Amino acid sequence: DVSAGLGLHEYPLDRNCRNPRPIHDFAYRWYTGDLHSEPTREGGRAPVIIEAAAGEATIQAVGDVLREIVHVEKVPKEQVAVLLGGSLRTSAIWHHGRFKGGIDLWNANAATRTGETLRLAFDAVPAQPRGTILCDSIRRFKGLDREVVILAELDPDDDRLGPLLYVGASRAREHLV
């Protein structure tokens, strides 16, 4: 670790300023580190869990949730992210791409609906077009956040399920589905 030789000070991040308590408590069920964190925001919405079979049932469930969030709750599309347990290449949701009600998924690094990546450098990634909803893998979205996060295509038999749930759930600032 080169940072050790730079004379930098380490500061533990023991206050969670991103998530309200219900999302924090949900996410931290899967946290395996040794740093105890407390949310600074009480209140907030409880995470919503919707079980759906893989494929068409999941596509339908995600479409229903997106329409509720965008058209009923009036959340701007740019503040919503659909995060996947796997890659865009293997995602039925990404391949579907467009949902009723003018809801289009977008990803700056995807060349087409096949999910093949463009491998763009950070400074070459275009800004998200207005009126689109970001769709990406949980792993690629680590470190980022959105007001509303929808986690989808999580495999209950995946050895990485716990870490994926922790990272994905902790991306939501206000609402987690």
Side-chain angles (χ1 to χ4, degrees):
D1 183 2
V2 296
S3 63
L6 296 176
L8 302 174
H9 296 281
E10 184 175 317
Y11 294 97
L13 300 176
D14 56 1
R15 293 185 312 165
N16 178 347
C17 299
R18 176 183 291 142
N19 313 121
R21 181 167 295 280
I23 294 172
H24 169 89
D25 291 348
F26 180 87
Y28 276 79
R29 285 192 237 170
W30 292 280
Y31 176 67
T32 58
D34 56 4
L35 179 65
H36 179 72
S37 175
E38 280 297 318
T40 59
R41 295 171 36 212
E42 293 297 328
R45 293 171 74 166
V48 175
I49 299 173
I50 300 168
E51 291 187 40
E56 196 56 44
T58 295
I59 291 169
Q60 181 67 43
V62 169
D64 292 346
V65 168
L66 288 172
R67 282 187 294 281
E68 175 75 17
I69 289 167
V70 169
H71 296 300
V72 176
E73 297 181 20
K74 305 291 187 200
V75 176
K77 293 175 184 175
E78 298 82 7
Q79 285 301 316
V80 179
V82 176
L83 302 181
L84 309 168
S87 70
L88 294 180
R89 199 172 53 259
T90 61
S91 171
I93 292 169
W94 176 252
H95 291 270
H96 187 76
R98 173 173 272 174
F99 295 88
K100 291 178 189 173
I103 297 172
D104 294 318
L105 300 180
W106 172 85
N107 184 294
N109 253 324
T112 64
R113 285 284 159 215
T114 65
E116 295 303 319
T117 182
L118 295 172
R119 301 195 190 289
L120 298 174
F122 176 77
D123 58 351
V125 174
Q128 180 174 347
R130 193 177 160 124
T132 62
I133 291 178
L134 176 72
C135 181
D136 211 341
S137 71
I138 293 170
R139 295 179 86 187
R140 286 184 40 85
F141 202 70
K142 188 175 183 178
L144 303 173
D145 59 34
R146 283 290 199 282
E147 293 296 313
V148 178
V149 170
I150 300 165
L151 302 179
E153 298 181 335
L154 292 160
D155 180 355
D157 297 323
D158 188 338
D159 293 344
R160 304 168 304 146
L161 182 60
L164 286 172
L165 282 167
Y166 168 68
V167 171
S170 63
R171 306 301 93 208
R173 290 193 304 250
E174 294 297 330
H175 186 39
L176 172 67
V177 179

